Amino acid sequence: MAQTEVLNVQEQEQQEDTLKGKYLIFSVGNEMYGMEIRYITEIIGIQPITEVPEMPEYVKGITNLRGKIIPVMDARLRFKKEVKEYDGKTCIIVIDTNNISIGLIVDSVAEVLSLRDEDIAPPPDFNKGGRKYVKGVGKVGNAVKLLLDCQKLLTDDEAETLSAMT
């Protein structure tokens, strides 16, 4: 391995270490969710979204992010919550998962939290029949944050369909 490759690998490992245990906390409805910072590329305000026919209801369409077309899905609809009009706090969290970029519309972004492994409990068994995108439950004082598994927000088929849109 060349010297520059070794340095790049070391830099990447150091960067991953500094991101370990850091979660972006955001709200959808009355719940607070967390997502590992390492999957997040940016947070932007609500953008014009072009609808794409015959997509699942929670996929709002696509948006042009500085020349890159990304699919956008509404977290409220994905999590089967009631529809709410977007407001000044509504934003799009752009995540990079399974080799595609996706915009996730959330009600608001709260903070970045550091959680130790001992502050994270496994998710309850409610995942058996449904979606398995809840990776754990973060305990913060008397509150809990549902921690999402970015790689399981979409099924393989959904990821393939959305990837074809970009």
Side-chain angles (χ1 to χ4, degrees):
M1 205 182 294
Q3 183 65 29
T4 55
E5 288 178 39
V6 171
L7 288 175
N8 287 340
V9 169
Q10 288 172 340
E11 285 174 14
Q12 188 175 358
E13 287 172 355
Q14 286 172 346
Q15 185 178 8
E16 286 177 9
D17 279 350
T18 61
L19 298 178
K20 184 170 173 35
K22 293 197 185 316
Y23 292 83
L24 177 71
I25 306 301
F26 58 91
S27 69
V28 177
N30 296 325
E31 277 83 42
M32 298 301 282
Y33 294 88
M35 189 178 291
E36 285 182 83
I37 286 284
R38 66 186 172 127
Y39 291 107
I40 299 168
T41 51
E42 61 188 301
I43 301 167
I44 57 176
I46 203 74
Q47 306 278 308
I49 298 170
T50 303
E51 282 187 43
V52 177
E54 299 183 34
M55 284 286 117
E57 181 187 10
Y58 59 86
V59 177
K60 300 307 282 180
I62 54 176
T63 193
N64 184 342
L65 185 61
R66 290 181 303 284
K68 183 177 181 182
I69 303 301
I70 62 166
V72 179
M73 70 178 182
D74 191 314
R76 281 183 155 272
L77 300 176
R78 182 64 172 155
F79 301 159
K80 301 192 183 333
K81 298 192 175 297
E82 73 284 348
V83 176
K84 178 185 167 204
E85 204 167 307
Y86 302 149
D87 60 28
K89 291 183 177 181
T90 306
C91 56
I92 300 173
I93 300 172
V94 180
I95 60 173
D96 206 355
T97 181
N98 299 325
N99 297 319
I100 64 169
S101 290
I102 303 166
L104 186 66
I105 301 171
V106 301
D107 292 348
S108 66
V109 170
E111 62 184 324
V112 173
L113 271 182
S114 291
L115 292 172
R116 300 177 315 225
D117 290 343
E118 55 266 23
D119 294 331
I120 300 173
D125 261 355
F126 58 64
N127 278 339
K128 281 191 176 154
R131 301 285 176 193
K132 298 191 183 215
Y133 42 69
V134 175
K135 177 166 137 178
V137 178
K139 298 176 276 185
V140 183
N142 291 330
V144 295
K145 317 287 186 212
L146 295 175
L147 304 178
L148 302 179
D149 187 337
C150 291
Q151 296 181 317
K152 293 184 181 172
L153 276 175
L154 299 171
T155 64
D156 290 342
D157 289 345
E158 292 165 337
E160 194 174 303
T161 301
L162 293 180
S163 183
M165 293 170 60
T166 60

